[in-house]
Amino acid sequence: MAKQRKIIHIDMDCFYAAIEIRDDPSLKGKPIAVGGASNSRGVLCTCNYEARKYGIHSAMASSQAVRLCPDLIIVPVNFEKYRASSKVIHEILGHYSDTIEPLSLDEAYLDVTHSDLHAGSATLIAQTIRNEIFEKENLIASAGISFNKLLAKLASDWNKPNGQFVITPDMIKNFMPILPVKKLFGVGKVTAEKLKEKGIVTCGDIQKHSITEMVRLFGNYGKHLHLMAHGIDERAVCTEHIRKSLSVEETFSSDISPTHVPPYIFDDMFNELNKRLKKLKNLDKTDIKTLSVKIKFADFTSTTIQSSQTAFVIASFIHLFDTRIKNHADSTNVKDIKKIRLIGFGVSFKTEHTETNKAYQQLSLAFKS
Ligand code: TTP
Ligand code: MG
């Protein structure tokens, strides 16, 4: 029989907000959030636990948050700082396992099944990781420990903030039935709503259905839901990421005219895409299948133009952009030409490419995978 796995999920507590409070102790104890200003179209990235008491949460419009808590202090986003901290945290994680899967700047899975540290106690390893993060970065992490990724992630949420929790196999029969389905990996608002229409709100409700019934109702995803509702998740902690495409995009601080895009924007984007491509293993430029340009207009409508005919040079991207903008201008009155809030450049590949997972490199506000 295969050895039971030991998986740790680490998730930093109110990550961006915690960094801002660490760097400005006068914010301590006050409700604070990180994000866009409340007098513009800003939204919040996150907030501390004091602010959460007022019902404030990530992705809420800043204006709404200030209505809920007039004393809320909103600190502007300082992404470089978060990325620097994330890099240190991921380096610390590297002291405890070679099998690490970063999920975002502040979250990662570690497989410690074969670790000799603390006589193989995943609970003690998690505690030591959290201590080291606190000592080196002065930030607080929570941890979840279990025998698969699904349960480890659920567990890290259990005693948040500043806590850890272990889910053992014998806890599954009591733990899963009461768990709301929206806590399951991949179940967002839309899926939760569809499940609710069938009277399914908790994992216990799923357990009442046979796997055949779940497949009949929800297709292949129904099978996946059925397994998760029983606490089963065979996914490995994955240190490599398979890529079929790569793109970078930039959202401008204010909308720009499509006919007056500063050339450095195209240069920056092309250079960033090129830099990211060079990091992929065994990539030959002839392996690029299509080039694409994405444009998001000020009214949030967006369009993507693709070409499989052109070479990977900046002029090809600019040509795609100009073609789309010309079509738009030809079909619109000059006064109605929409401004642009975001431009993206991307490529797709003929074959799949693997790269080492590094969350702090992959994510940025301006450039995304
Ligand atoms: P989370 O781990 O979801 O949130 P958190 O760390 O702020 O709070 P906690 O884990 O204690 O519940 O996200 C990590 C960071 O990612 C968060 O600090 C800010 C950023 N983020 C956004 O920018 N937008 C979002 O919608 C979310 C959910 C997070
Ligand atoms: Mg977090």
Side-chain angles (χ1 to χ4, degrees):
M1 212 174 85
K3 190 172 178 183
Q4 185 177 291
R5 293 185 295 158
K6 292 180 200 167
I7 308 221
I8 300 175
H9 178 254
I10 295 283
D11 188 334
M12 302 301 297
D13 295 340
C14 48
F15 188 49
Y16 297 1
I19 292 175
E20 296 301 342
I21 296 166
R22 174 195 68 186
D23 297 347
D24 177 0
S26 74
L27 297 172
K28 213 170 174 180
K30 298 176 185 164
I32 87 124
V34 174
S38 58
N39 55 5
S40 66
R41 54 186 176 177
V43 288
L44 300 183
C45 295
T46 192
C47 60
N48 64 355
Y49 283 77
E50 280 84 349
R52 289 182 201 194
K53 287 181 204 151
Y54 294 85
I56 296 169
H57 56 77
S58 300
M60 179 180 265
S62 306
S63 50
Q64 190 191 349
V66 170
R67 276 197 298 277
L68 291 172
C69 172
D71 293 334
L72 182 71
I73 300 168
I74 303 181
V75 184
V77 181
N78 189 339
F79 209 73
E80 279 315 306
K81 218 160 66 166
Y82 314 146
R83 193 159 34 194
S85 215
S86 174
K87 188 166 188 281
V88 176
I89 292 162
H90 282 90
E91 277 163 9
I92 292 172
L93 300 182
H95 301 161
Y96 297 88
S97 176
D98 292 330
T99 312
I100 300 178
E101 179 180 341
L103 296 177
S104 68
L105 288 189
D106 87 323
E107 230 185 306
Y109 289 114
L110 289 85
D111 188 325
V112 294
T113 311
H114 302 291
S115 175
D116 295 330
L117 291 166
H118 296 294
S121 160
T123 304
L124 290 178
I125 297 173
Q127 184 62 59
T128 314
I129 292 172
R130 293 172 55 229
N131 292 347
E132 188 176 343
I133 292 175
F134 186 69
E135 278 158 24
K136 298 220 167 103
E137 272 301 277
N138 199 7
L139 292 171
I140 293 173
S142 290
I145 302 116
S146 196
F147 52 93
N148 67 37
K149 295 208 292 190
L150 168 74
L151 298 169
K153 191 166 160 76
L154 290 169
S156 71
D157 216 26
W158 208 255
N159 276 337
K160 231 177 198 309
N162 197 14
Q164 64 180 61
F165 189 63
V166 187
I167 300 180
T168 56
D170 57 350
M171 289 159 75
I172 298 304
K173 63 177 185 309
N174 294 327
F175 182 82
M176 293 313 293
I178 52 169
L179 191 79
V181 284
K182 58 175 189 273
K183 293 271 182 188
L184 292 177
F185 173 77
V187 177
K189 265 191 192 147
V190 177
T191 313
E193 208 42 54
K194 272 192 197 155
L195 288 163
K196 201 172 165 194
E197 280 167 20
K198 306 281 179 204
I200 297 174
V201 179
T202 64
C203 289
D205 297 330
I206 295 184
Q207 290 179 355
K208 287 178 203 148
H209 292 69
S210 69
I211 195 155
T212 322
E213 177 79 350
M214 285 300 288
V215 171
R216 194 182 62 76
L217 291 173
F218 302 101
N220 241 344
Y221 189 57
K223 182 178 166 194
H224 185 57
L225 283 170
H226 196 265
L227 290 171
M228 285 198 295
H230 287 85
I232 300 168
D233 177 13
E234 302 293 346
R235 288 173 304 149
V237 173
C238 200
T239 51
E240 296 216 304
H241 180 74
I242 294 180
R243 272 200 179 281
K244 293 180 184 155
S245 64
L246 181 69
S247 64
V248 299
E249 59 185 47
E250 181 162 3
T251 303
F252 310 115
S253 46
S254 55
D255 300 335
I256 57 175
S257 157
T259 49
H260 292 92
V261 178
Y264 72 85
I265 287 181
F266 293 135
D267 284 338
D268 284 357
M269 256 184 322
F270 182 75
N271 291 340
E272 179 68 18
L273 184 59
N274 206 9
K275 198 168 91 193
R276 298 270 307 273
L277 281 170
K278 284 185 182 150
K279 286 189 186 148
L280 294 182
K281 285 180 199 159
N282 314 322
L283 180 82
D284 176 327
K285 294 273 165 65
T286 59
D287 202 24
I288 291 174
K289 190 162 76 175
T290 57
L291 308 186
S292 62
V293 170
K294 174 177 164 188
I295 304 170
K296 194 185 261 184
F297 294 101
D299 61 2
F300 283 85
T301 56
S302 67
T303 178
T304 302
I305 324 106
Q306 258 194 3
S307 164
S308 52
Q309 306 298 328
T310 40
F312 183 77
V313 288
I314 189 167
S316 306
F317 287 99
I318 295 176
H319 177 71
L320 283 176
F321 177 85
D322 286 346
T323 310
R324 178 64 186 82
I325 291 303
K326 188 171 177 311
N327 288 344
H328 170 51
D330 286 350
S331 61
T332 319
N333 288 328
V334 176
K335 68 173 178 33
D336 293 330
I337 290 180
K338 290 188 276 194
K339 288 195 162 185
I340 296 177
R341 59 180 279 124
L342 172 151
I343 300 178
F345 283 3
V347 289
S348 70
F349 306 125
K350 291 175 191 155
T351 50
E352 292 175 346
H353 290 274
T354 53
E355 65 181 352
T356 306
N357 270 325
K358 276 193 181 151
Y360 56 86
Q361 279 178 4
Q362 280 171 11
L363 298 174
S364 109
L365 280 186
F367 297 109
K368 70 163 216 177
S369 323

